[in-house]
Amino acid sequence: MLSNIFYYMFYASAVFVYGTGTISAIQSSLKPKHLVLQFSKMLITVIASLIFTYLLTIQLIKLNLGELAPFVCVAMFFLVSLFVERVLRLSSKTTVAEYGVSILCILIAVIESVSFVDCLINAIACLLSFFVSVPIMHAIRKKIEMNAPAEKLKNLGLLFISIGVLTLVLISWGASWLNPGVLGR
């Protein structure tokens, strides 16, 4: 269980390996003051959607209709997200509309899990990987701003650094200490 958390949060980070929310992490690093509200909305939405999606996916698999699981994920997510967004808009008078990261966390969790607990842990680890990457992006952004690049190139440098980190993660797969095959030799 702990290995899944570390795997999806750091090593196979949903942001750096799958590319889930790289642009959203860059945009969130600009205004980190709404991060707590965004995290709570995403966590509630993902967990509620995951419950419905997992139950419906199990039934679809029993009926030999497993191909419809991604459609069910997206449909359940949008229904739950609309409800949570309405509640947040009425209670806090702000909107936190974010869809890409949450949908992909749900898809990764449902497709790559074998039980509901495993599914829940994978989804939360994917969400945490997004929120762990935001301070990293913020630090990189501040370092780039200290060098005072042209206005058009500010986000481009951050994107290239993120792609470089992604490339290093993918290249170092065979020699990493997290890879179980390396420890057994």
Side-chain angles (χ1 to χ4, degrees):
M1 174 163 37
L2 194 58
S3 63
N4 276 4
I5 293 172
F6 284 117
Y7 183 77
Y8 284 106
M9 202 161 123
F10 298 113
Y11 190 64
S13 170
V15 175
F16 293 121
V17 174
Y18 291 101
T20 304
T22 306
I23 301 298
S24 296
I26 291 171
Q27 290 172 349
S28 294
S29 70
L30 289 171
K31 296 182 244 172
K33 63 181 177 180
H34 294 292
L35 217 51
V36 174
L37 184 63
Q38 184 180 10
F39 178 71
S40 59
K41 189 251 183 188
M42 286 172 68
L43 187 66
I44 291 167
T45 304
V46 166
I47 290 174
S49 304
L50 202 61
I51 292 169
F52 295 124
T53 300
Y54 187 80
L55 294 174
L56 287 173
T57 303
I58 294 297
Q59 297 304 318
L60 286 173
I61 290 172
K62 288 179 183 176
L63 296 171
N64 292 327
L65 296 172
E67 307 84 37
L68 296 177
F71 174 73
V72 170
C73 281
V74 172
M76 286 296 115
F77 169 75
F78 278 119
L79 289 174
V80 171
S81 182
L82 285 173
F83 176 74
V84 172
E85 184 70 29
R86 293 282 181 186
V87 170
L88 274 176
R89 192 174 294 156
L90 291 174
S91 64
S92 66
K93 305 289 188 229
T94 59
T95 180
V96 186
E98 192 288 316
Y99 302 109
V101 176
S102 301
I103 287 175
L104 292 173
C105 286
I106 295 168
L107 283 171
I108 290 169
V110 169
I111 290 171
E112 297 186 7
S113 64
V114 293
S115 68
F116 179 72
V117 173
D118 193 32
C119 187
L120 194 63
I121 289 170
N122 292 350
I124 291 173
C126 285
L127 276 179
L128 287 176
S129 75
F130 173 75
F131 287 99
V132 164
S133 71
V134 171
I136 294 170
M137 298 291 183
H138 186 71
I140 293 170
R141 175 178 296 285
K142 288 298 179 187
K143 193 71 170 170
I144 290 172
E145 287 175 357
M146 285 174 51
N147 294 330
E151 189 65 35
K152 290 182 178 179
L153 300 177
K154 282 188 179 180
N155 286 336
L156 191 61
L158 187 57
L159 184 63
F160 282 139
I161 291 171
S162 302
I163 290 171
V165 169
L166 172 65
T167 304
L168 287 175
V169 166
L170 292 175
I171 289 173
S172 65
W173 171 261
S176 174
W177 59 274
L178 287 173
N179 190 351
V182 174
L183 297 176
R185 293 181 188 168

